[in-house]
Amino acid sequence: MTRLFITLFVFVTLVALAPAAPVPPAQKPALYYPTSVGAKWVYEWGGSDRTEQVTAVDEKDGKTVVTIGVLVGEKTRPYRKILVSEKGVFFGTIGLEETKFPYPMLKLPAKAGDRWDWEVTEGGRKVVCIVGAVEEVEVPTGKFHTVRFESETPVGGPGPRKRHGGSPPTWAG
């Protein structure tokens, strides 16, 4: 009987001293916007291409402020800041001086059919955003979650200007 207790004691002691299995690192949520300095993407813009690039990134309190530049000739010129977090992608109207980001470009988590709007302070115009497909795409660099969306912005002239967008595969991390 004493042997049983000694064996049980040794077994419990060894189990207690054994190292625990490593805890897997927490996965960062998909941010759906590029957050690496140097990341580039191209838009069709008025019949020509417009190349934008991340020129700076500032992370603080779970939020990331990304400075975006536009390629003009051979040089990238910073022109606006975007706030990226697990709650979505937000922008303002002040450009490089931005400290508040009141306008949601994309709200997260996104579901197809989600809809929101906001009023542009200059001129009282209303912008409407609608989430399309939320899907996974596969490209040569891997599989990525993407969100398609559409926004309508009233501009001077008949009817609103529609913009279709989405998070290209390189935006999801």
Side-chain angles (χ1 to χ4, degrees), residues 116-128:
W116 64 91
D117 58 59
W118 72 87
E119 198 160 310
V120 178
T121 53
E122 309 86 42
R125 299 173 296 159
K126 186 185 219 179
V127 176
V128 178

Side-chain angles (χ1 to χ4, degrees), residues 23-31 86 136 143 145 173:
V23 176
Q27 287 187 333
K28 287 186 174 182
L31 297 178
E86 61 185 34
E136 186 173 87
K143 288 184 180 181
H145 296 283

Side-chain angles (χ1 to χ4, degrees), residues 54-78:
V54 175
T55 59
V57 175
D58 182 30
E59 294 185 42
K60 187 176 181 182
D61 300 328
K63 298 176 182 174
T64 303
V65 176
V66 179
T67 303
I68 306 300
V70 63
L71 185 65
V72 178
E74 298 290 319
K75 193 169 190 171
T76 301
R77 301 187 190 281

Side-chain angles (χ1 to χ4, degrees), residues 5 13 17 44 52 64 69 79 109 117 128 145 151:
F5 284 119
T13 304
L17 295 175
E44 284 186 21
E52 295 187 4
T64 303
Y79 81 101
D117 58 59
V128 178
H145 296 283
S151 67

Side-chain angles (χ1 to χ4, degrees), residues 129-152:
C129 294
I130 304 166
V131 173
V134 178
E135 58 195 356
E136 186 173 87
V137 297
E138 187 169 359
V139 295
T141 56
K143 288 184 180 181
F144 300 92
H145 296 283
T146 63
V147 177
R148 294 186 184 274
F149 65 91
E150 180 178 296
S151 67
E152 294 182 10

